[in-house]
Amino acid sequence: MPTRPPAPFDDDPALTTVFDGVRPTVRHLRKSKLVVTTGPDAGKELEIGKPRVSGGRSIINDLVLSDKAVSGAHFEVAAAEDGGYHLRDLGSTNGVYVGDLRIQDVHLKPGTVFRIGHSDIRFQRTDEIVEITLSKRDSFEQVIGSSVAMREIFATLEKVAPSELTVLVTGETGTGKEMIARGIHQTSPRAHKPFVVLDCGAIPKDLIESTLFGHEKGSFTGAVGQHHGCFEQAHGGTIFLDEIGELDINLQPKLLRVLENREVKRVGGDRTIKIDVRVVAATNRDLRQMVNQGTFREDLYFRLSVIHVELPPLRERRDDVPALAETFLREIGGRRGLTMSFAPDAVAALTAHNWPGNVRELKNVVERAASLADGPSVRRADLFFNRDSGAPMRAAAAAAAGGDGGVMMPPMAPGLDFKEAKQRVVDAFEVAYLKALLERHEGNITRSAQEAGLTRYHLRELLKRHGLTNVRDD
């Protein structure tokens, strides 16, 4: 069976794909090794036997270091689609250096030495090969994908779903995280039991504990009766904790205890209630960076990410776009009693689009096009793409910077759901607020933190996240 040739610049690729005709059948990963050559952990080694590993002081990493100048989650080494390994900084405090250069993302060659904190680490290749299985199917329940990336995920899910393992699903908004969670439930022994969804970002902070764990009558104002929380409701089945990155830091220890002990105590109650649930969590946030920032507990992350599934954005699997679009169009036509199809120019336009809203945006575009089409064939002229998905962010930023105390509702970009639109508005507000704050205090971190009511560390992390670096400490 032939293999696809590696990228031209890399004569020793990390990943190669084996084909049977035109269909990929398996992937080969060339093993590598990270060797700590200097520092407190000199001599420690990590064999890279999977496409992505991380290093840092936290137990959530594959390479755990004791160097106090190293961040909780400091760096990542990943086999990239261009054929090589890449080294990436995970938002560390002290940075990642190759020679005298501080890097964010760099291609690794065998023998490259990089520095984190007081430790030097050498990247080495080995001659061993790991075989990565691809699913023989192009779908997992309702999730569709014939691309190599998706079939690799399907192969993992086919093994994991029948088990009791906790799964963390990550990926951009609109990539299908909830559909993956439903698929895990539907292909598990719990399929005929409850599947309970809780959006951790949509529940007010003062109600989230009651929503999760339940409450007793009279336990707080408005508690007019006993309430069974989501964990009790999911007993025997699966609970899906969506947007887990939004969970308040003060509630995270209580969730951790539930995951460890499999029992809950209702708000206002003194009795522990045993529960039998499978947990699947999801987020579009980078929880490793949140661990670094102190906004997400590392022990909770460790408990949730027993199996970690990262969904690629649609722009990185364009080969799946035609099949997804055809599926959505077939569903729409079926509801109307029509047989609909795409003209070739429409398929080309759909495949070329960047899809910032991912699969959810694609579905919205197809539904809108089916309504605009004059007949059963959808043409390029029937497609409406949002070419300015940053408009809501800029509008919100302008409103925040205006300082008139009013609230401006920015225009909503097609293809964005509520959570994504809200996050863009929040990000825009933070950027505008921080810029104005720094300008008032001429970049002074101490005075800015005092006015904002933040610690200097928290303020620095916010500034780092938004790329605002013109600051000083005096």
Side-chain angles (χ1 to χ4, degrees):
M1 290 184 291
T3 61
R4 177 171 290 174
F9 71 88
D10 191 342
D11 58 0
D12 189 17
L15 278 170
T16 53
T17 304
V18 180
F19 287 75
D20 183 4
V22 296
R23 185 171 175 80
T25 57
V26 73
R27 301 180 93 185
H28 288 163
L29 173 71
R30 180 180 292 278
K31 279 189 177 180
S32 297
K33 185 188 295 185
L34 295 177
V35 181
V36 184
T37 58
T38 64
D41 302 284
K44 193 169 189 176
E45 298 184 0
L46 172 69
E47 187 178 75
I48 303 176
K50 56 183 181 179
R52 189 185 304 270
V53 298
S54 64
R57 291 181 63 200
S58 170
I59 58 172
I60 68 177
N61 297 288
D62 302 282
L63 179 62
V64 180
L65 302 171
S66 61
D67 188 337
K68 293 183 178 180
V70 169
S71 294
H74 201 110
F75 72 91
E76 174 185 84
V77 173
E81 290 301 321
D82 63 11
Y85 275 96
H86 279 248
L87 169 66
R88 184 166 71 94
D89 190 338
L90 294 177
S92 66
T93 300
N94 294 326
V96 179
Y97 288 83
V98 176
D100 294 329
L101 297 177
R102 180 168 181 168
I103 63 94
Q104 290 298 320
D105 190 324
V106 69
H107 179 75
L108 280 175
K109 290 289 188 181
T112 299
V113 176
F114 60 93
R115 186 173 77 259
I116 61 170
H118 304 303
S119 302
D120 288 330
I121 301 175
R122 185 171 65 248
F123 171 74
Q124 297 178 184
R125 287 289 184 88
T126 70
D127 294 327
E128 292 184 71
I129 298 293
V130 176
E131 189 169 276
I132 301 174
T133 305
L134 302 183
S135 174
K136 295 180 180 179
R137 301 189 297 170
D138 294 338
S139 65
F140 178 74
E141 290 298 296
Q142 302 302 310
V143 184
I144 297 171
S146 60
S147 61
V148 171
M150 292 307 293
R151 287 176 55 213
E152 184 178 329
I153 289 172
F154 295 163
T156 298
L157 295 174
E158 288 163 4
K159 296 176 184 176
V160 169
S163 73
E164 292 294 303
L165 295 173
T166 300
V167 181
L168 175 65
V169 186
T170 60
E172 294 179 6
T173 296
T175 48
K177 296 186 287 295
E178 182 172 339
M179 292 183 69
I180 290 287
R182 288 186 182 276
I184 292 172
H185 174 71
Q186 291 164 359
T187 53
S188 76
R190 299 174 178 265
H192 300 294
K193 297 293 185 178
F195 178 77
V196 176
V197 179
L198 175 67
D199 185 340
C200 299
I203 308 296
K205 188 181 296 186
D206 56 344
L207 294 179
I208 186 70
E209 184 174 1
S210 169
T211 304
L212 274 172
F213 310 131
H215 63 252
E216 298 291 354
K217 180 179 179 180
S219 56
F220 56 86
T221 302
V224 295
Q226 186 187 74
H227 170 68
H228 292 189
C230 291
F231 275 95
E232 285 187 77
Q233 295 172 33
H235 183 71
T238 303
I239 185 169
F240 175 50
L241 302 174
D242 197 11
E243 302 296 352
I244 190 67
E246 307 295 331
L247 189 66
D248 185 76
I249 186 71
N250 296 316
L251 193 58
Q252 291 176 23
K254 296 182 180 180
L255 175 59
L256 179 63
R257 284 196 295 272
V258 172
L259 298 181
E260 290 177 337
N261 302 327
R262 299 292 162 165
E263 59 184 27
V264 297
K265 184 182 292 186
R266 299 185 190 126
V267 176
D270 54 9
R271 180 171 65 95
T272 57
I273 302 163
K274 289 291 183 181
I275 53 167
D276 170 26
V277 293
R278 169 88 175 272
V279 177
V280 181
T283 182
N284 62 357
R285 291 177 173 264
D286 188 337
L287 294 186
R288 295 173 304 182
Q289 287 195 3
M290 292 182 69
V291 169
N292 279 350
Q293 295 162 2
T295 56
F296 202 87
R297 290 176 61 105
E298 69 173 4
D299 45 7
L300 179 57
Y301 177 89
F302 189 73
R303 177 66 66 174
L304 290 172
S305 60
V306 177
I307 300 295
H308 182 189
V309 175
E310 184 171 3
L311 298 180
L314 191 54
R315 61 184 173 276
E316 292 181 6
R317 55 180 187 110
R318 294 179 189 270
D319 291 349
D320 290 337
V321 170
L324 286 165
E326 290 285 356
T327 299
F328 297 145
L329 190 62
R330 189 164 54 249
E331 292 173 355
I332 296 165
R335 293 197 299 265
R336 300 176 183 176
L338 298 174
T339 300
M340 303 189 72
S341 62
F342 287 105
D345 63 341
V347 175
L350 289 168
T351 305
H353 187 59
N354 203 41
W355 301 115
N358 293 296
V359 179
R360 185 179 292 127
E361 180 188 359
L362 171 60
K363 186 174 184 178
N364 291 342
V365 167
V366 172
E367 288 183 345
R368 186 165 50 238
S371 299
L372 295 174
D374 294 329
S377 178
V378 174
R379 301 164 300 163
R380 170 64 184 88
D382 301 320
L383 300 175
F384 174 77
F385 298 108
N386 174 54
R387 297 296 184 183
D388 192 14
S389 60
M393 183 180 293
R394 289 196 298 275
D404 60 2
V407 177
M408 176 180 175
M409 190 67 174
M412 291 295 105
L416 291 181
D417 68 349
F418 172 77
K419 287 181 285 189
E420 173 68 7
K422 182 179 77 171
Q423 187 58 51
R424 293 186 179 204
V425 171
V426 170
D427 287 343
F429 162 75
E430 288 184 357
V431 169
Y433 177 88
L434 293 171
K435 282 183 176 179
L437 181 71
L438 290 174
E439 185 176 347
R440 278 196 298 277
H441 297 288
E442 299 179 329
N444 185 283
I445 281 285
T446 301
R447 293 201 302 271
S448 297
Q450 287 172 347
E451 179 184 329
L454 301 171
T455 65
R456 285 159 47 93
Y457 172 79
H458 189 187
L459 179 57
R460 279 193 175 280
E461 291 301 318
L462 282 173
L463 294 170
K464 186 189 301 181
R465 182 173 11 138
H466 294 297
L468 303 173
T469 57
N470 187 25
V471 297
R472 57 188 177 83
D473 289 312
D474 55 303

